[in-house]
Amino acid sequence: MIDLENLNINLTQEERATLEGSQGPTMQKVMETVVLYGEALRAEKLVDIEGDGHFVIPWCTPGVAPSLEMLDELAEAGLKTKYPFTLDPHAPIDFNNLGLSKDVEEKIEEMYQDQNRYDERMLQLGLRDWEAYTCNPYQPEVGNIPRIGTIVAWSESSCAVFANSVLGARTDRNGAIMDLLVNIVGKTPLVDLLTDEGRRASWLIEVKTELLPNPQLLGAAIGARVVADVPYIVGLGHFLGAELNPETLDYLQEMGAACATYGAVGLFHVENITPEAVEQGRDLLLPGHSSQIIDDKALQELFDNYPVLWSESEAEPEKCFIGCPHLSMNQLTWWVNKIDKALQSRGKDRLAIETVIFISPQLLHKFELDEKKYRRLIKAGVKLSASCSETIYETGLYSGKPVLTNSNKLRAYTSARFFPDEELLEILVTGEVKRDS
Amino acid sequence: MLPRQIKGEVLVTHKGFNAYASFAASLHDGVEEARCSDSSNKELYGKNLTDKIICLSKTIGSTSAGAVWQRVVKLGIAPKAMLFSQQIDSLAAAGLIVADLWGGKRICTIDQLGKKFLESMNNGIQVLIREDGTVEIQ
């Protein structure tokens, strides 16, 4: 039981009463967890959460989710999040779309045998609806788009960094399980990225490249350099322009996902583009900030030094996973058009490598309505899935397989081999990875 | 932060510790030890993390890491302690507290030990951690 007399964090009477059990023993335990969390972060106090949540706990598998026993305990106590929430993508149980071998399918069935029960618990605890499962929840089709300045408590590192940086909302990088618990309490510690001071940049990153750099490589370079600090990035404006149009949103989403994977970046500012940078400019930079130039050479070296983690490094690629995080409509359309054009130019009908593109359920429904584009993609041999490519590797049976990806995030967590989009497209059409790649 | 008196062998990383990537290969039932599976961390990759005292600056990477700690505690393959030279980050704080209150076993956690602490630690050193948070090299 928490020692209420020796807390540094300032609690309201109502919060203290909850800690003393006024809302029952389960809520007392939830509150104790949240208060200890605030203490550990040296928070002055807890503040109210003001909008829908997004959490990184969609799967029932141990190690990436709260245990079913814990969810049962919360649900039986009648607890629910203050606002509805969305979740990361579904487990890969849509086998028709994935082309997995029998042993992998059997393993997945075994791993996710409790998924239905888990999903029911999530609905009881505040999940928005049965299809609220995507790692790109701020697409218009999904609609979890907190407004500028809104305090939320999100997890999923790629979503938290996007919410902070591009939407201008305020969230800390909450961990799995704590995401759910703070949203049940409806309060989150006032620290770091929720504060004006915590949102200032301690790094000036100057991008000096000849062309617009690949966002996933740039993000990885930035993340590895600044780790958990806030970078102020200059040098992208003359490539991207000043408007947050769909292409820029996609670029920043990919970059942010990589920043968060290779470091612990929860917020970045891009000069003249992201909302706080537009409003405050270089006043966001802290005195004595560090500086780093990232150029073409640095990015090429980064890419060249990625190890090939396939069991047989020279193997013919067997599969390609595109979309980690889930693609937007704009990105999906890019792939549809590019695949079509590339196949036509070579007089081919189908890609040489089995390819799965991962998108949200909402986008999948929308895309299916565009029959012409949908049929073009399917005819090219591409399948669409609303699940998560990374979770296929959690079976333990995919490690080392010759899989390609356009996602530097997927590369970080698996043995999939990353290529930038244009280069990957060439490989998908020809079936060949160049020896010096 | 989460006090406990224990002894053990040190493992050090000067890079951010990606908890999810490090334990990803060890989350299945039947695993007896956790070998670091983060290929980006050359200091720890392949090393046994179970029952070790891990000395680090901070954790990085996926917010899934919050649930990882609850799982490794349940499997009995968790480190004995996490000793942070800097203030603990939100991911580690969340995961270690949840593992403590909802997972039933404590991973001793101390933060703000300082840069000199991390510089003085080397792999293989035996340390004693006391309940008051002091760390003694044995």
Side-chain angles (χ1 to χ4, degrees):
Chain A
M1 174 54 198
I2 202 169
D3 180 1
L4 285 172
E5 300 310 315
N6 285 313
L7 290 172
N8 293 309
I9 193 168
N10 295 314
L11 297 177
T12 63
Q13 266 191 312
E14 187 192 343
E15 288 160 0
R16 281 186 176 268
T18 305
L19 271 184
E20 286 165 350
S22 65
Q23 296 190 53
T26 307
M27 189 61 179
Q28 180 183 27
K29 194 165 149 187
V30 174
M31 192 68 182
E32 185 177 351
T33 311
V34 172
V35 168
L36 280 178
Y37 179 47
E39 281 275 290
L41 300 182
R42 276 71 173 185
E44 179 200 329
K45 61 180 181 178
L46 302 176
V47 291
D48 289 335
I49 288 170
E50 297 169 335
D52 290 11
H54 180 80
F55 309 154
V56 71
I57 48 171
W59 315 297
C60 66
T61 42
V64 292
S67 64
L68 277 166
E69 293 73 26
M70 184 176 174
L71 293 184
D72 286 344
E73 190 179 341
L74 295 170
E76 278 158 23
L79 300 184
K80 198 165 183 164
T81 53
K82 183 177 171 187
Y83 294 96
F85 58 87
T86 51
L87 288 172
D88 267 2
H90 272 300
I93 49 180
D94 55 333
F95 295 147
N96 286 346
N97 300 322
L98 298 171
L100 304 173
S101 57
K102 214 69 187 125
D103 60 334
V104 176
E105 286 183 357
E106 283 168 6
K107 183 68 181 174
I108 289 173
E109 277 176 338
E110 183 195 320
M111 285 171 69
Y112 296 102
Q113 58 184 306
D114 294 325
Q115 190 64 45
N116 283 342
R117 183 174 149 209
Y118 187 93
D119 292 341
E120 280 167 14
R121 287 284 176 261
M122 281 295 165
L123 277 169
Q124 285 176 278
L125 292 167
L127 177 65
R128 195 181 70 183
D129 57 69
W130 281 107
E131 289 202 316
Y133 289 83
T134 175
C135 45
N136 196 341
Y138 21 74
Q139 304 167 78
E141 293 84 3
V142 183
N144 191 351
I145 312 172
R147 291 194 182 161
I148 193 167
T150 305
I151 292 175
V152 292
W154 283 19
S155 56
E156 175 46 61
S157 50
S158 64
C159 294
V161 70
F162 188 89
N164 275 321
S165 312
V166 183
L167 302 178
R170 295 195 171 201
T171 177
D172 205 0
R173 292 178 90 233
N174 294 281
I177 307 180
M178 191 63 79
D179 47 10
L180 178 63
L181 298 181
V182 295
N183 277 275
I184 287 174
V185 172
K187 290 170 186 269
T188 187
L190 178 65
V191 287
D192 298 336
L193 298 175
L194 271 66
T195 66
D196 290 345
E197 193 59 21
R199 294 175 78 83
R200 296 184 71 193
S202 53
W203 282 87
L204 173 67
I205 301 290
E206 295 184 76
V207 178
K208 291 192 172 178
T209 54
E210 201 179 314
L211 300 172
L212 180 66
N214 177 279
Q216 309 227 14
L217 283 172
L218 178 61
I222 294 172
R225 195 72 188 92
V226 312
V227 189
D229 292 340
V230 177
Y232 185 94
I233 304 163
V234 303
L236 290 177
H238 57 275
F239 296 123
L240 294 171
E243 195 194 325
L244 276 173
N245 56 41
E247 288 75 26
T248 300
L249 286 171
D250 290 338
Y251 187 93
L252 296 179
Q253 192 226 11
E254 289 187 68
M255 188 185 82
C259 277
T261 298
Y262 288 87
V265 177
L267 166 67
F268 59 82
H269 301 292
V270 182
E271 188 156 73
N272 296 326
I273 298 178
T274 54
E276 281 157 283
V278 166
E279 190 187 322
Q280 301 178 56
R282 297 198 186 200
D283 287 347
L284 280 167
L285 281 162
L286 288 164
H289 60 267
S290 305
S291 295
Q292 177 77 43
I293 292 173
I294 294 178
D295 56 18
D296 286 312
K297 184 168 174 266
L299 295 176
Q300 189 62 51
E301 271 176 17
L302 178 67
F303 178 66
D304 290 342
N305 283 325
Y306 283 153
V308 179
L309 297 177
W310 294 353
S311 301
E312 292 172 36
S313 59
E314 303 285 322
E316 298 284 318
E318 287 176 8
K319 219 172 188 74
C320 179
F321 293 149
I322 292 174
C324 172
H326 277 172
L327 299 188
S328 67
M329 178 59 99
N330 190 52
Q331 290 166 322
L332 178 60
T333 304
W334 186 93
W335 278 102
V336 170
N337 292 336
K338 283 282 189 174
I339 287 170
D340 207 39
K341 195 171 170 187
L343 287 173
Q344 274 188 25
S345 71
R346 287 167 173 79
K348 293 186 175 192
D349 281 333
R350 289 177 76 87
L351 294 176
I353 296 167
E354 199 180 331
T355 298
V356 186
I357 292 181
F358 294 83
I359 55 177
S360 67
Q362 294 81 2
L363 191 52
L364 183 55
H365 296 322
K366 186 174 177 182
F367 186 67
E368 283 171 343
L369 293 175
D370 187 338
E371 281 194 30
K372 195 173 163 194
K373 272 196 194 136
Y374 180 75
R375 287 209 181 139
R376 272 161 59 197
L377 198 61
I378 301 304
K379 192 181 165 205
V382 176
K383 290 188 192 272
L384 294 166
S385 171
S387 69
C388 172
S389 53
E390 196 277 328
T391 51
I392 295 170
Y393 285 83
E394 282 169 23
T395 58
L397 299 174
Y398 239 68
S399 184
K401 283 193 183 290
V403 175
L404 304 165
T405 183
N406 77 325
S407 167
N408 207 0
K409 175 170 179 168
L410 189 64
R411 189 213 76 82
Y413 292 115
T414 70
S415 54
R417 194 169 166 191
F418 163 75
F419 287 95
D421 289 351
E422 291 280 5
E423 205 174 332
L424 181 62
L425 175 66
E426 181 66 18
I427 298 170
L428 294 180
V429 172
T430 61
E432 292 169 15
V433 177
K434 287 183 190 158
R435 291 263 162 136
D436 57 0
S437 290
Chain B
M1 199 187 103
L2 295 171
R4 192 178 152 209
Q5 174 147 328
I6 47 151
K7 283 185 193 180
E9 181 186 326
V10 160
L11 266 183
V12 186
T13 178
H14 300 90
K15 282 193 63 162
F17 179 76
N18 189 322
Y20 180 68
S22 296
F23 289 111
S26 309
L27 299 176
H28 321 288
D29 284 330
V31 169
E32 292 185 354
E33 62 183 21
R35 294 230 162 234
C36 181
S37 45
D38 182 8
S39 62
S40 296
N41 188 327
K42 291 178 176 35
E43 290 174 307
L44 292 183
Y45 184 53
K47 291 197 166 60
N48 183 7
L49 305 174
T50 301
D51 287 338
K52 296 294 191 296
I53 293 176
I54 298 180
C55 302
L56 71 164
S57 55
K58 55 183 12 153
T59 69
I60 60 170
S62 174
T63 49
S64 290
V68 163
W69 297 107
Q70 188 186 47
R71 179 63 174 165
V72 297
V73 156
K74 186 169 180 190
L75 288 173
I77 59 172
K80 280 184 179 173
M82 299 292 291
L83 304 183
F84 293 81
S85 61
Q86 299 178 21
Q87 179 173 322
I88 193 169
D89 56 278
S90 59
L91 292 193
L96 291 162
I97 289 168
V98 166
D100 192 58
L101 291 178
W102 301 81
K105 192 181 171 189
R106 173 161 291 185
I107 299 171
C108 172
T109 305
I110 306 172
D111 69 341
Q112 294 193 310
L113 287 161
K115 202 174 166 190
K116 280 190 182 162
F117 159 78
L118 197 60
E119 286 166 0
S120 68
M121 288 289 123
N122 290 302
N123 289 350
I125 287 176
Q126 293 287 328
V127 297
L128 167 67
I129 304 171
R130 298 190 184 279
E131 286 253 7
D132 64 1
T134 51
V135 181
E136 290 175 18
I137 296 175
Q138 299 283 282

